[in-house]
Amino acid sequence: RRMDKANLQAFKDKSELKHLVPTFLNTVYSHDPDASLLNFNADTLTFTNPSSVYYLDNPSTELVNQVVQGASRLTTQQVVDFVVVAARILKTYKSRQDNIKDADNKIKQFKQAISRFLSNESGAKNDTKTAVLSAYAQLGLYDDQVMSLAIDDTAPLEVRYHALNAIRYISSVYLDD
């Protein structure tokens, strides 16, 4: 059953319960829009149980807003753990038929926030760039930076592969280019 926010917070605060029933919390995080907010710490941009996001069937608008706002505050060290999970939330949010236009706007804002990690000036490491490119692939995003990374002979092979993978999700025409 759905619990209100006060009950969920009280449940979460009882640490002895949290350790006894992680599967239950995974289910709660996945299927209750209010509870999914408890899975995400907006201050540290971390997820208590990141795997539950993959079972999230109805992310709340509040969670999506927190994720998009958090993306603009990301540091290079947080990117790897955040962007792929956040992209999954946005993808699920967009799959609902009642908010496609809003979801497109949120995805654009998310893309603007994470695209800075693809430039060479950002000093981002390979794992950071591949995480961002994986998020691009999940959301069907593309820009000139992706193409630049795909054709850059000096870029590491894993980065080029992920860039090509992101392009492949958009259109084979871009891949041919």
Side-chain angles (χ1 to χ4, degrees), residues 16 41 47 88 97 100 114 134 164:
E16 66 276 359
N41 182 334
F47 293 88
R88 177 62 184 200
Q97 297 302 315
I100 293 175
I114 66 171
S134 294
L164 289 169

Side-chain angles (χ1 to χ4, degrees), residues 79-145:
V79 170
V80 174
D81 294 328
F82 178 80
V83 294
V84 175
V85 179
R88 177 62 184 200
I89 290 170
L90 290 169
K91 182 178 179 181
T92 304
Y93 184 69
K94 185 176 179 176
S95 70
R96 295 191 339 222
Q97 297 302 315
D98 60 337
N99 58 353
I100 293 175
K101 194 172 235 178
D102 181 47
D104 286 338
N105 289 333
K106 300 290 184 200
I107 289 171
K108 284 179 187 176
Q109 292 171 10
F110 181 72
K111 178 187 173 196
Q112 286 176 337
I114 66 171
S115 66
R116 71 181 189 267
F117 296 105
L118 292 179
S119 70
N120 287 332
E121 294 83 41
S122 70
K125 296 181 180 174
N126 294 344
D127 58 343
T128 302
K129 289 181 182 180
T130 57
V132 171
L133 289 167
S134 294
Y136 268 50
Q138 266 192 71
L139 295 172
L141 301 174
Y142 178 78
D143 60 21
D144 291 340
Q145 291 184 81

Side-chain angles (χ1 to χ4, degrees), residues 10-40:
F11 180 79
K12 184 181 178 192
D13 291 340
K14 293 186 179 190
S15 61
E16 66 276 359
L17 287 177
K18 186 171 25 176
H19 296 298
L20 291 174
V21 286
T23 304
F24 175 69
L25 275 178
N26 190 24
T27 303
V28 170
Y29 290 153
S30 300
H31 300 296
D32 189 332
D34 289 332
S36 66
L37 289 170
L38 297 176
N39 189 24
F40 180 60

